[in-house]
Amino acid sequence: ENKELLKELHRLGLKRVLWGVESADDGVLKALNKHLTLEQIDETLAVSHEAGMENFALLMAGMPEEGPEEAKKTRDKVAEWLEKGLVQHFQILPLCLLPGTPLYDRAQKEGWYYQPDPFQFEVTGGTPWLTQGEIADHLWKMREIGKPYGAFM
């Protein structure tokens, strides 16, 4: 059903879909209240690709419950998607804490919101799960994964 809808959208001119994947770890997805699993993401990307769409995966680094092991799972999965041709482009950005969101409130309450400038919301001091250096390393490794495919945007 979704494949047929995507095929029709492709026929009508929709050629690219940006998917808010965030992470390829079920624990991180659950912590973000995404209400989906990695299996569902895999299936969606496959169906979209089979319908002729270019898939763009939007990811974030330094999210709740994302430690080094979870970050590596995401890197490995993105590399797999690229190799299989399920994802043509991806972007990964550091977590941004926006005032008024539950995550911003949590970071302030738990003491891991370090940015005093109200217009700079990136997690620059690290999280309880990843240090600032580990977040930077994860971002760098993700960019390197995309280089052979020209996939990093």
Side-chain angles (χ1 to χ4, degrees), residues 75 90 136-146:
R75 290 192 302 272
F90 71 92
D137 183 59
H138 179 40
L139 292 167
W140 178 258
K141 287 177 180 175
M142 288 295 293
R143 289 180 179 110
E144 292 298 306
I145 286 168

Side-chain angles (χ1 to χ4, degrees), residues 45-112:
L45 291 172
V47 167
S48 178
H49 177 69
E50 289 171 23
M53 298 292 183
E54 285 186 48
N55 289 319
F56 288 60
L58 305 176
L59 304 146
M60 294 192 66
M63 295 173 300
E65 313 307 324
E66 182 185 58
E69 184 179 313
E70 293 79 12
K72 183 175 182 335
K73 284 181 187 176
T74 296
R75 290 192 302 272
D76 291 347
K77 184 51 84 169
V78 170
E80 178 186 316
W81 290 334
L82 290 168
E83 187 176 316
K84 289 181 175 179
L86 297 180
V87 168
Q88 286 67 49
H89 299 283
F90 71 92
Q91 180 178 42
I92 184 165
L93 298 170
L95 172 68
C96 293
L97 298 170
L98 300 175
T101 63
L103 193 52
Y104 179 90
D105 295 340
R106 177 180 176 187
Q108 286 197 317
K109 181 181 174 186
E110 294 176 3
W112 52 277

